[in-house]
Amino acid sequence: MNNGLRLEKFGCHNLRDIDLELAPGQCLGLSGPSGSGKTLFLRALADLEPHRGRIWLDGTAADQVPAPQWRRQVGLLPAESAWWFDTVGPHFFETPGRWLQQLGFDDQVMQWEISRLSSGERQRLSLLRLLINRPRALLLDEPTANLDQTSMARVEALLADYRQSSQAITIWVSHDLNQLARLCHPVLVIDGRRLVPLDRRSAKPSQEIQ
């Protein structure tokens, strides 16, 4: 596959020999027990953790791309985002425009102090900060964990629009198996050193994926 994301004999933390291909626009769900390595897996894909094997995006190997450029193309949304300035605006090189309204904000949010933001507001704004780079792949670590139902629906809709318009590949980490089953295909679970598919009827891992 020339277009999309491909892993060959990939490994990090306790995971070993992962071979995986994701097509443009595809959303893969990933779950597993706390401490099983979900976050480290995403960080390794973003070239922020040591890893084995190789990664390609649209036919270009990660080891052929400078790390900062790779991280703009393969964008990681951490569970807890970092903020460097006192207010929201300086964290954006351009105004997110209509995306602000889609997530329930108006333009005044750019003047807000970081200290006044709730955890859910930080989470939504950190997603916009990521999307403004137009990444070709999204690595989402619990992107709706701190959100109420209304905000969760807004985030899900915005990400669906972004995937459709840009054909971005998405890996979505969550403990909410119902959400993953609704939004993602396939859904995989970390089981020891393997990624195994989720049996949607029993919500348990089934056979190991090849």
Side-chain angles (χ1 to χ4, degrees), residues 7-27:
L7 309 184
E8 183 179 283
K9 302 298 181 185
F10 185 83
C12 64
H13 187 45
N14 62 318
L15 295 174
R16 299 287 186 273
D17 295 329
I18 298 171
D19 294 324
L20 182 66
E21 293 189 7
L22 297 175
Q26 187 171 2
C27 183

Side-chain angles (χ1 to χ4, degrees), residues 46 78 194:
R194 308 170 301 161

Side-chain angles (χ1 to χ4, degrees), residues 3-175:
N3 293 321
L5 184 73
R6 178 162 64 96
L7 309 184
E8 183 179 283
K9 302 298 181 185
F10 185 83
C12 64
H13 187 45
N14 62 318
L15 295 174
R16 299 287 186 273
D17 295 329
I18 298 171
D19 294 324
L20 182 66
E21 293 189 7
L22 297 175
Q26 187 171 2
C27 183
L28 178 146
L30 181 63
S31 193
S34 297
S36 59
K38 302 182 296 297
T39 294
L40 289 175
F41 178 65
L42 294 186
R43 286 179 56 83
L45 294 177
D47 198 22
L48 290 167
E49 292 287 338
H51 58 271
R52 301 167 295 279
R54 302 195 73 190
I55 316 170
W56 286 265
L57 180 63
D58 294 339
T60 300
D63 54 15
Q64 301 299 311
V65 179
Q69 181 180 340
W70 178 259
R71 291 168 195 150
R72 288 179 68 89
Q73 297 174 359
V74 180
L76 172 65
L77 180 70
E80 295 187 9
S81 57
W83 300 85
W84 304 277
F85 304 105
D86 292 336
T87 59
V88 172
H91 295 88
F92 291 81
F93 67 85
E94 65 179 77
T95 302
R98 62 182 178 84
W99 287 347
L100 283 175
Q101 286 72 44
Q102 283 185 266
L103 292 190
F105 297 108
D106 59 34
D107 291 342
Q108 293 301 311
V109 73
M110 292 291 121
Q111 279 73 54
W112 289 7
E113 293 186 359
I114 299 300
S115 59
R116 69 162 280 185
L117 299 177
S118 69
S119 58
E121 288 168 339
R122 291 187 186 212
Q123 196 162 16
R124 284 178 286 155
L125 288 168
S126 64
L127 173 61
L128 294 182
R129 191 175 65 186
L130 177 69
L131 294 183
I132 210 76
N133 290 321
R134 273 65 175 190
R136 292 150 59 198
L138 295 171
L139 309 175
L140 308 177
D141 195 353
E142 298 281 1
T144 62
N146 297 317
L147 304 182
D148 58 34
Q149 290 298 317
T150 298
S151 295
M152 180 185 300
R154 285 172 168 164
V155 166
E156 290 180 359
L158 175 59
L159 286 169
D161 289 347
Y162 184 81
R163 284 175 50 216
Q164 183 176 18
S165 63
S166 68
Q167 287 295 286
I169 297 153
T170 303
I171 299 180
W172 189 311
V173 165
S174 177
H175 288 289

